[in-house]
Amino acid sequence: MPNNYAVLNEGSVVVEFWTGPVTHEELLAHERRHLSDPLIKAGASVLIDAERAQFGTTVEEIKDIADLYGQVIGKLKVGRMALLVNKETYERALVFLKEVEWYGVKVIVFNSLDIACTWLGLDVNVARNQLQTLQAQSGQTDSAFVRRST
């Protein structure tokens, strides 16, 4: 799967990097792992850089992903999510935003890392360095994802 993520600040921040083609099944598998990851604290802020990814999930299938958030109500790990997406993914990101709002997740779609970090309250230099590390790892590892807690 073309996704790496890191858990930072004792579980209160997650930084994700996505690249290449992503099937709907891969996205569902990632969300299941992400929503049950014991390293992530409830209410975590999530920064997702998906500008280099091409998602195979259709608008109709986005509800499947949002439904996973509904299954973990009461123990939801995600509080705020900033999505950096490309123009091909933008419309689907807006649909996802509306679907997960029902479950208490605040999502905003951005095209600027600086603004996304400001909205999440993250240091942009820390986020940029972590994204660079994840990008480098995505080319060096076959693992589905990389978790790190600092």
Side-chain angles (χ1 to χ4, degrees), residues 61-113:
E61 291 172 322
I62 291 172
K63 184 143 179 48
D64 296 342
I65 297 163
D67 287 346
L68 293 175
Y69 287 77
Q71 294 171 14
V72 292
I73 285 187
K75 50 187 174 176
L76 186 61
K77 301 221 179 206
V78 178
R80 298 178 83 166
M81 187 181 300
L83 297 170
L84 295 166
V85 298
N86 54 47
K87 65 182 180 178
E88 291 80 19
T89 305
Y90 182 76
E91 292 299 323
R92 285 175 281 173
L94 292 179
V95 172
F96 174 75
L97 177 155
K98 290 179 191 221
E99 290 290 332
V100 297
E101 278 181 342
W102 289 101
Y103 304 116
V105 180
K106 296 176 185 166
V107 180
I108 297 186
V109 181
F110 292 94
N111 60 8
S112 163
L113 178 62

Side-chain angles (χ1 to χ4, degrees), residues 29-60:
H30 162 77
E31 290 297 334
R32 284 185 189 104
R33 277 192 301 267
H34 189 248
L35 290 170
S36 65
D37 189 331
L39 294 177
I40 301 172
K41 287 186 180 174
S45 294
V46 182
L47 173 67
I48 301 168
D49 181 348
E51 292 180 299
R52 294 164 199 83
Q54 301 84 41
F55 291 90
T57 298
T58 65
V59 171
E60 295 77 24

